Amino acid sequence: MENYMQEAIKEAYDGINAGDGGPFGCVIVKDGKIIGRGHNRVLLKKDPTCHGEVEAIRDACKKAGTHDLSGSILYTTAEPCPMCLGASLWANISEVRYGCNRKDTDGIGFRDDRFYDYIAGKTEIMPVVEEDREECLKLFKDYNESEKKKIY
């Protein structure tokens, strides 16, 4: 049996050695096969959403030709941040396995606790304000009545 976490670690080292970003590597496995790989590419792409998990999800979806990764397991070198956990949920990933936890990640300078504190209602990161709700509700109504409506 293949050690998938070791593959995620190798992916993280590839990113570190290339100077792409932090020590975060990920593989996605379905039916005993790796269907997606990714590592942190935030610095390379100058895009804060290019975390290892998101890159692996994008890779797996592209290769599988679908946005639905049901039945897959995501292996990652660190506990997913809220964005990556959200992406995993949207992709219907069935299970997440991680190496280092959020305290370990904090110990090397990454600031995920800001997000956990916000989610827990302990702090405000930035103003989040509802605006033009009526116009947006009309948009939703139009979408809901559209022949092109597709729920993913």
Side-chain angles (χ1 to χ4, degrees):
M1 182 173 144
E2 192 167 357
N3 186 330
Y4 300 117
M5 188 60 75
Q6 286 300 313
E7 290 298 314
I9 291 167
K10 286 179 193 174
E11 189 68 34
Y13 274 116
D14 287 347
I16 291 168
N17 293 332
D20 292 346
F24 308 108
C26 181
V27 295
I28 298 173
V29 176
K30 186 169 183 176
D31 299 326
K33 296 179 182 166
I34 294 175
I35 62 168
R37 293 177 173 273
H39 61 261
N40 185 293
R41 290 185 172 96
V42 169
L43 298 177
L44 174 70
K45 294 185 176 180
K46 297 171 182 47
D47 180 344
T49 67
C50 291
H51 290 196
E53 296 91 338
V54 173
E55 293 288 288
I57 289 168
R58 289 173 179 155
D59 184 50
C61 288
K62 183 177 180 182
K63 287 176 180 171
T66 181
H67 63 279
D68 186 353
L69 300 177
S70 294
S72 63
I73 301 173
L74 184 146
Y75 293 81
T76 182
T77 56
E79 184 175 357
C81 72
M83 177 185 72
C84 293
L85 185 58
S88 298
L89 289 169
W90 283 118
N92 296 317
I93 289 172
S94 299
E95 184 177 340
V96 173
R97 297 185 183 186
Y98 64 87
C100 295
N101 63 42
R102 64 177 85 157
K103 290 187 188 302
D104 300 323
T105 303
D106 185 61
I108 61 169
F110 290 86
R111 61 190 195 284
D112 293 359
D113 280 346
R114 289 177 48 195
F115 301 99
Y116 294 112
D117 288 346
Y118 175 77
I119 291 166
K122 295 179 183 177
T123 187
E124 191 173 304
I125 296 175
M126 69 182 88
V128 179
V129 181
E130 184 179 285
E131 185 174 320
D132 292 331
R133 182 170 182 260
E134 290 305 315
E135 290 83 358
C136 292
L137 283 171
K138 181 185 179 315
L139 168 70
F140 278 23
K141 180 180 179 286
D142 292 346
Y143 168 76
N144 202 36
E145 294 171 354
S146 169
E147 291 178 15
K148 296 187 183 213
K149 175 183 172 181
K150 292 186 180 180
I151 302 294
Y152 64 95

